[in-house]
């Protein structure tokens, strides 16, 4: 089964740019047939989307792309992570299965039922997860073919106060958390991120969220693929939960553009 074209957008940048801004969790869209498998009522679902969506991160990435000296490529999820979460492992390697939040969520941010007990995740993985993963793999391969390297900058946000689903929510929650991978995050990229986001407040490392996204075809294998996750604390740019963006968005987009420029050089 193929996925609808609107499930994700691969937005072209400059042919010479190695950078892909990856925005996986910014959408609230849920197809009607997927919605029918979610047990929450309308109001409860809207509140869950307020909590789980990385609101306005697509706008931050779009503004950063426009401000960068060399336009990066963008890969943006058009559907909510309540459909599938493209950044989870689709198997038992995923630690978030412990709280019902593997590739297909069965529990909410407050650990309440989201889908009926015994829901088979495979149809949603086949319809949405695998096509997304394949398209992102092809996006990275395209940058490697064109420039000899690829730099994935994962754009996320997180709530000011921890939510019950968080497995590591008791650590620091800085204005900007930088998620790293031992193999794919070179020191120079991390240093560039610290410098770029310095005007936005303190940057922290791998808390409250750690790691970064690399398609499995390259993960732990190809050092030409660099990656860094940028987690932005939501009170720095929006009204929580799920409210409008504020002036902080422009400042953060400028910082992200500076990181893109540094990663492009």
């Amino acid at each position: 089964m193929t996925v609808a074209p609107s499930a994700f957008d691969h937005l072209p940048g400059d042919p010479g740019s190695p950078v892909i801004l990856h925005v996986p969790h910014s959408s609230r869209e849920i197809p009607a047939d997927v919605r029918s498998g979610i047990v929450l009522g309308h109001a409860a679902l809207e509140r869950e989307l307020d909590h789980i969506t990385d609101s306005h991160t697509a706008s931050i990435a779009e503004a950063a792309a426009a401000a960068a000296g060399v336009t990066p490529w963008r890969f943006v999820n058009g559907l909510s992570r309540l459909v599938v979460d493209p950044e989870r492992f689709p198997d038992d390697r995923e630690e978030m299965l412990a709280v019902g939040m593997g590739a297909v969520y069965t529990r909410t941010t407050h650990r309440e039922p989201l889908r009926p007990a015994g829901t088979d995740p495979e149809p949603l993985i086949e319809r949405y997860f695998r096509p997304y993963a394949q398209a992102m793999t092809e996006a990275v391969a395209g940058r490697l073919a064109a420039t000899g390297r690829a730099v994935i900058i994962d754009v996320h946000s997180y709530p000011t106060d921890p939510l019950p689903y968080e497995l590591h929510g008791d650590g620091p929650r800085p204005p900007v958390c930088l998620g790293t991978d031992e193999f794919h995050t070179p020191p120079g990229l991390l240093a560039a991120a610290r410098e770029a986001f310095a005007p936005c407040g303190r940057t922290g490392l791998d808390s409250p969220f750690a790691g970064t996204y690399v398609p499995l075809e390259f993960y732990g294998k190809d050092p030409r693929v660099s990656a860094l996750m940028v987690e932005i604390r939501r009170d720095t740019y929006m009204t929580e939960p799920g409210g409008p963006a504020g002036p902080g968005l422009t400042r953060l987009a400028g910082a992200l553009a500076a990181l893109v420029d540094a990663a492009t050089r």
Side-chain angles (χ1 to χ4, degrees):
M1 183 179 295
T2 58
V3 70
S6 60
F8 48 80
D9 290 312
H10 184 200
L11 302 165
D14 188 283
S17 173
V19 178
I20 300 171
L21 294 179
H22 181 222
V23 188
H25 295 157
S26 64
S27 177
R28 298 172 68 100
E29 293 297 315
I30 301 175
D33 60 330
V34 179
R35 170 66 181 97
S36 67
I38 291 174
V39 301
L40 301 180
H42 177 74
L45 177 58
E46 288 301 306
R47 180 46 59 102
E48 179 63 13
L49 288 167
D50 288 344
H51 288 303
I52 200 66
T53 305
D54 293 352
S55 300
H56 314 296
T57 49
S59 297
I60 292 172
E62 181 179 14
V70 177
T71 304
W73 297 62
R74 283 180 288 146
F75 197 101
V76 182
N77 191 1
L79 299 178
S80 169
R81 64 198 291 191
L82 296 185
V83 180
V84 296
D85 190 332
E87 295 213 316
R88 302 288 198 239
F89 287 110
D91 51 36
D92 290 343
R93 287 173 291 178
E94 180 52 59
E95 71 168 356
M96 295 302 291
L97 284 169
V99 289
M101 294 180 120
V104 175
Y105 296 179
T106 58
R107 294 274 166 173
T108 71
T109 51
H110 290 73
R111 304 199 181 197
E112 296 170 349
L114 178 74
R115 289 184 166 93
T119 294
D120 180 7
E122 183 56 31
L124 289 174
I125 289 174
E126 176 66 19
R127 184 178 179 186
Y128 294 107
F129 184 96
R130 292 195 179 100
Y132 188 107
Q134 181 60 35
M136 187 62 184
T137 299
E138 292 170 1
V140 172
R143 295 301 84 219
L144 290 174
T147 72
R149 62 192 181 104
V151 183
I152 303 167
I153 301 175
D154 222 13
V155 186
H156 292 259
S157 71
Y158 72 95
T160 303
D161 297 318
L163 289 167
Y165 84 94
E166 295 183 26
L167 294 179
H168 312 288
D170 55 351
R173 303 179 83 82
V176 178
C177 162
L178 301 174
T180 65
D181 178 86
E182 184 177 359
F183 186 88
H184 290 284
T185 308
L189 181 60
L190 180 58
R194 289 190 184 278
E195 181 177 354
F197 284 98
C200 302
R202 183 172 59 90
T203 58
L205 195 64
D206 290 317
S207 175
F209 297 98
T212 189
Y213 175 78
V214 175
L216 290 176
E217 182 171 319
F218 307 103
Y219 183 65
K221 305 170 188 174
D222 195 333
R224 298 175 300 163
V225 180
S226 301
L228 179 76
M229 178 170 67
V230 176
E231 286 270 8
I232 304 162
R233 203 177 65 208
R234 291 176 188 157
D235 66 330
T236 64
Y237 75 93
M238 64 173 285
T239 301
E240 299 180 83
L249 187 148
T250 301
R251 180 176 64 253
L252 287 158
L256 182 58
L259 175 57
V260 169
D261 287 342
T264 302
R265 292 194 287 268

